Amino acid sequence: MIIRPFENDDRQTVIKLWRRCGLVVPWNDPEADIDRKLRVDPELFVVGIAGSRLVATAMGGYDGHRGSLYYLAVDAEQQGRGYGRKIADYIADLLEHRGCPKLNIMVRSSNTRMIDFYQRLGFKTDEVVCLGKRLIEDE
Ligand SMILES: CC(C)(COP(=O)(O)OP(=O)(O)OC[C@H]1O[C@@H](n2cnc3c(N)ncnc32)[C@H](O)[C@@H]1OP(=O)(O)O)[C@@H](O)C(=O)NCCC(=O)NCCS
């Protein structure tokens, strides 16, 4: 799998992949999420290409204190081939090169599969409560 930055032509393929992976929730508009990411550190939004097909995505971020990783997805028929680990490690390397000391990941507590996956990649559960306040309501 080759990893490269997201390009605008990838947009509909990426959104379809996110829908198939169950990553699109009613309170997040994927189009708006992509538009926002293209305005802030777009090079941290990457896709994985196997053959000629877009099969994976990951959206990283760094705020000067902590790094983040969202929208990690691998197409169902391409799972179990190391692509999830590869694209997550790729984002971690980009963040480390920027001097980011720690990567935090938010996973819905009901998504036990994803929690197990990240633990396999060496992430530990932090004893913190994640608080959120919506500033912009998506359509
Ligand atoms: C979770 C997901 C990204 C894993 O991708 P993948 O390409 O199948 O994972 P990999 O093949 O790279 O697996 C990497 C390692 O994690 C392990 N692993 C994968 N899925 C696992 C799971 N559900 N539980 C425990 N370990 C898991 C693999 O055995 C492998 O271990 P190893 O490298 O030590 O041998 C993929 O299944 C997915 O896209 N799921 C749906 C999307 C989703 O829910 N995203 C959450 C957004 S917050």
Side-chain angles (χ1 to χ4, degrees):
M1 181 180 70
I2 305 290
I3 299 174
R4 62 156 172 81
F6 170 89
E7 294 168 2
N8 209 36
D9 284 351
D10 301 325
R11 183 180 287 255
Q12 293 316 318
T13 311
V14 163
I15 292 173
K16 281 183 196 154
L17 171 62
W18 288 350
R19 288 193 194 284
R20 285 199 299 279
C21 287
L23 295 186
V24 176
V25 290
W27 54 92
N28 279 345
D29 174 355
E31 294 271 7
D33 279 354
I34 290 173
D35 289 341
R36 284 188 277 255
K37 188 62 208 170
L38 295 180
R39 288 197 290 271
V40 182
D41 292 336
E43 60 282 1
L44 296 179
F45 181 21
V46 298
V47 297
I49 311 291
S52 57
R53 291 191 53 211
L54 191 157
V55 298
T57 65
M59 187 187 280
Y62 178 44
D63 61 16
H65 183 60
R66 294 290 181 250
S68 57
L69 173 55
Y70 298 98
Y71 281 122
L72 182 74
V74 176
D75 217 349
E77 55 200 48
Q78 302 287 334
Q79 290 174 10
R81 299 182 180 190
Y83 294 165
R85 179 188 281 279
K86 185 170 180 181
I87 202 164
D89 284 351
Y90 187 90
I91 292 290
D93 285 347
L94 288 180
L95 297 178
E96 195 181 331
H97 276 102
R98 289 179 173 218
C100 170
K102 184 173 182 233
L103 173 52
N104 287 335
I105 294 181
M106 281 190 261
V107 181
R108 278 189 287 281
S109 47
S110 58
N111 195 347
T112 52
R113 182 181 173 203
M114 208 62 205
I115 294 168
D116 292 346
F117 166 78
Y118 279 123
Q119 285 175 340
R120 184 79 188 166
L121 264 60
F123 287 81
K124 306 268 183 282
T125 304
D126 286 335
E127 292 302 318
V128 297
V129 174
C130 177
L131 301 170
K133 183 178 183 181
R134 191 93 206 180
L135 302 178
I136 298 171
E137 296 294 340
D138 284 352
E139 291 299 313

